Amino acid sequence: MKLSKETTAALETLYHSENSTPVCAVTPDFRLLWKNCAQAETLLSCLCRSLRSSIGTEQPLIPADGQLHITAEGVPYRCRVQRMSDGGSPFFVAVFEKLAGVRRLTAPEMRQLLTEYDRVCEQAAGRVLAVLQGNSGGQQPDDAIRHACCEIFCLSQRNSQLLWYESVTEELLETLEPIEVSGLAGRVANALGAASGGVFTVRYQAEGTGYARVDPNQLSAALMSMLLTAQRGDPEKTDITVSFADRGDVLVLSVTARRGKSAGDALLPYCPDGTLISEDVLLTRFCSTFGAVLTVEKTADAVCHTLTLPAVPREDVPLVLHAPDSEFALPDPVLLSGCRMMLSPILRRIPAE
């Protein structure tokens, strides 16, 4: 399908290329026909991942009000999809509006949340039933069942994180005690390495110590999400470094995925769905709630996600005496379980408890 000159001219008049709002026109199966800027094509790719279960069908899964929510590099967008016609041939126009700040769930977002939950649970349950019927798809039956269950647990954990952001208040944030970020990051790094069962080599590096006023569970989850978004199921990027640095007014946490020993078929292809409960969205919620900033740097061999947190001045940190925790020799059981569930969508072999 190709748009007529008249339709293209009308789109260019309505959505000039200098317009800050990305817009594109697509076929009914969401192939690009026209765009007003390069960013529109990038956002269209995110939208297609969100709609992947219905792309290629006669009726894509588009809500009646035409609204969908996606994320791109951690930035949330509302996508408005409108059906149009060009000489009797239907096409869609997608308009992407950037969203900002801590938000509560809207009706379209809740619909996406439930749709994604239903999709993951249905597929996981289907794999379990297939194993019970003697068709494990080449996997060991125990591994196939364990992987399906971990996917459901992973989804439940991400839902719990999202619900925490939905219920958080300014009063609750003010009551949070400062936590020692370096120690927590070290325990998360250790748990990630143990949870991967040797698929990833995870190292931890620290420069100094520092405190931040954050919820420790949400910071742990943010670090796990940073690993997933940096690694993205690439079987070559198995060399992981988690690092911490105290820069005075700010604390810097980084997760870097580099080329290492190939994981081969130990990893499933990882494709962020771009929906409400994806890692990108949870990181966006973390940053807007705790005043953090997430940046991404990419090279030919590595991807580095960096989280910058406001530091709590030393004089505001209550004095607490405890034994030194520099080795991080043993992973915290709760963190280990959480890491195993967060990694479950990409690991073909889930280590046993």
Side-chain angles (χ1 to χ4, degrees):
M1 177 182 175
K2 186 177 181 180
L3 294 176
S4 65
K5 294 181 179 179
E6 294 78 11
T7 300
T8 302
L11 290 172
E12 290 175 346
T13 300
L14 288 171
Y15 309 106
H16 194 268
S17 59
E18 294 180 359
N19 193 312
S20 60
T21 302
V23 180
C24 60
V26 297
T27 63
D29 60 353
F30 278 73
R31 287 181 290 108
L32 182 66
L33 295 172
W34 173 88
K35 61 185 178 183
N36 72 336
C37 62
Q39 188 185 19
E41 187 170 4
T42 300
L43 294 174
L44 175 63
S45 297
C46 295
L47 178 62
C48 287
R49 287 197 293 266
S50 179
L51 293 170
R52 68 184 184 279
S53 61
S54 61
I55 289 294
T57 64
E58 294 183 359
Q59 298 295 328
L61 187 60
I62 300 175
D65 60 7
Q67 291 192 33
L68 292 152
H69 291 76
I70 63 172
T71 59
E73 297 295 345
V75 179
Y77 288 85
R78 177 190 294 114
C79 177
R80 293 185 291 108
V81 181
Q82 183 179 0
R83 184 183 179 91
M84 294 188 175
S85 178
D86 179 28
S89 300
F91 69 97
F92 292 101
V93 170
V95 181
F96 301 93
E97 301 171 341
K98 185 183 294 186
L99 301 174
V102 179
R103 300 175 294 109
R104 294 292 182 256
L105 282 172
T106 64
E109 288 177 320
M110 179 60 75
R111 181 171 51 243
Q112 278 187 255
L113 177 66
L114 296 175
T115 299
E116 179 68 4
Y117 193 91
D118 178 68
R119 182 186 67 81
V120 172
C121 291
E122 182 180 3
Q123 291 181 354
R127 288 197 297 272
V128 172
L129 290 174
V131 170
L132 295 177
Q133 294 169 0
N135 180 19
S136 60
Q139 277 187 299
Q140 291 295 323
D142 289 350
D143 290 340
I145 293 175
R146 187 182 295 114
H147 193 280
C149 292
C150 283
E151 276 198 339
I152 295 175
F153 282 131
C154 173
L155 188 61
S156 297
Q157 185 174 13
R158 292 196 297 176
N159 284 347
S160 298
Q161 295 163 28
L162 180 61
L163 290 174
W164 186 91
Y165 288 114
E166 288 299 311
S167 61
V168 70
T169 61
E170 292 296 335
E171 292 76 12
L172 176 61
L173 295 177
E174 291 174 358
T175 63
L176 292 176
E177 292 291 337
I179 66 168
E180 205 283 288
V181 176
S182 175
L184 176 62
R187 290 190 292 274
V188 172
N190 190 44
L192 283 168
S196 74
V199 174
F200 299 136
T201 300
V202 184
R203 289 184 294 272
Y204 179 61
Q205 302 172 346
E207 296 180 22
T209 58
Y211 291 79
R213 201 179 300 276
V214 297
D215 180 88
N217 294 327
Q218 301 308 318
L219 179 56
S220 299
L223 285 168
M224 298 178 205
S225 292
M226 287 168 66
L227 169 63
L228 285 175
T229 53
Q231 204 280 329
R232 298 213 179 258
D234 185 342
E236 303 300 321
K237 287 187 171 63
T238 58
D239 187 352
I240 310 297
T241 300
V242 180
S243 61
F244 167 86
D246 184 354
R247 298 288 185 252
D249 293 339
V250 296
L251 307 178
V252 180
L253 284 165
S254 297
V255 177
T256 305
R258 297 185 180 86
R259 292 188 181 276
K261 182 179 178 181
S262 177
D265 62 359
L267 288 180
L268 290 164
Y270 177 69
C271 183
D273 50 43
T275 59
L276 182 67
I277 53 177
S278 71
E279 282 75 23
D280 288 337
V281 172
L282 291 173
L283 285 168
T284 300
R285 292 290 175 91
F286 178 89
C287 290
S288 60
T289 301
F290 297 109
V293 176
L294 181 69
T295 56
V296 180
E297 294 183 9
K298 299 180 181 179
T299 66
D301 297 322
V303 179
C304 178
H305 286 219
T306 300
L307 191 68
T308 304
L309 278 168
V312 173
R314 294 288 177 153
E315 57 269 21
D316 294 343
V317 177
L319 179 61
V320 178
L321 300 178
H322 59 83
D325 191 18
S326 58
E327 295 293 331
F328 311 114
L330 297 174
D332 181 284
V334 176
L335 277 177
L336 180 59
S337 177
C339 290
R340 183 172 288 120
M341 286 190 287
M342 290 292 283
L343 294 176
S344 66
I346 64 171
L347 289 176
R348 287 187 183 273
R349 296 190 296 269
I350 304 297
E353 293 288 349

